[in-house]
Amino acid sequence: AVSKPQKVAGSIAHISRSGACPTVIAIGSTSINQATKSIIIARRYLLEDGINFSCVPEERPDMGRDAIALVLTKCDDQGKRDVDTEPAEGAKSADVRQVKVAGASDASHVAGAISGMIRSGKQVATISVGADSIRQAVRAIALSREFLRPDGIAVTMQPAN
């Protein structure tokens, strides 16, 4: 059965108001899509209360081939967590690059492009429409975290519509 994003969002918001944010596990395109929608809705609910969070996608091959853990962490209004690095010297908030991700995109190639842009001081926004596209974008962000870890760069995502 497919989870209803509003119900999942309500649960995320309730748990987050009570303390630490939850981790959302999603397996497959439809589940990752629904989880991402739920996170978008929960962020709206929580911003009304002055609570913001960032999302760290992690691949979970131990749970299945397309399993993703979306680890939610409270943060300040700009999405910064204690472990986030500052933008590269000279980077401006206008230095945002858009990356369109299709369902047929190779997540590792997209991750390489994202990583290169981040290394050069750019912020990256992925554009995805449809469950397969969102799955590939989330996987690419998870992979870019791995690519950038040796550089000491922590990558998070803040799903929005």
Side-chain angles (χ1 to χ4, degrees):
V2 176
S3 300
K4 295 188 185 316
Q6 292 84 356
K7 283 187 147 192
V8 175
S11 296
I12 291 169
H14 176 74
I15 293 166
S16 299
R17 286 183 187 108
S18 301
C21 295
T23 295
V24 179
I25 304 292
I27 301 173
S29 296
T30 302
S31 294
I32 294 168
N33 184 46
Q34 295 299 89
T36 303
K37 287 179 186 178
S38 300
I39 290 167
I40 291 167
I41 295 166
R43 282 190 74 222
R44 276 193 229 129
Y45 293 163
L46 291 167
L47 284 173
E48 293 172 5
D49 298 331
I51 299 170
N52 194 8
F53 60 81
S54 62
C55 178
V56 174
E58 298 175 351
E59 289 191 306
R60 293 292 303 268
D62 58 311
M63 299 182 79
R65 191 174 70 93
D66 280 338
I68 296 281
L70 300 167
V71 182
L72 307 179
T73 306
K74 289 182 183 174
C75 61
D76 68 18
D77 288 336
Q78 286 75 45
K80 291 279 186 199
R81 300 177 310 144
D82 290 338
V83 298
D84 284 338
T85 58
E86 292 299 315
E89 190 174 322
K92 299 176 178 71
S93 60
D95 288 340
V96 178
R97 297 294 186 258
Q98 293 184 344
V99 176
K100 293 182 182 178
V101 183
S105 295
D106 182 320
S108 62
H109 291 150
V110 175
I114 290 170
S115 299
M117 291 177 210
I118 291 173
R119 281 188 185 107
S120 68
K122 310 290 187 240
Q123 290 184 349
V124 180
T126 60
I127 312 273
S128 304
V129 177
D132 290 336
S133 173
I134 290 171
R135 179 196 70 220
Q136 292 303 86
V138 171
R139 287 187 64 225
I141 294 166
L143 288 170
S144 70
R145 287 180 46 74
E146 296 302 316
F147 294 170
L148 292 167
R149 182 170 284 133
D151 299 319
I153 299 172
V155 177
T156 63
M157 65 181 223
Q158 291 189 318
N161 59 350

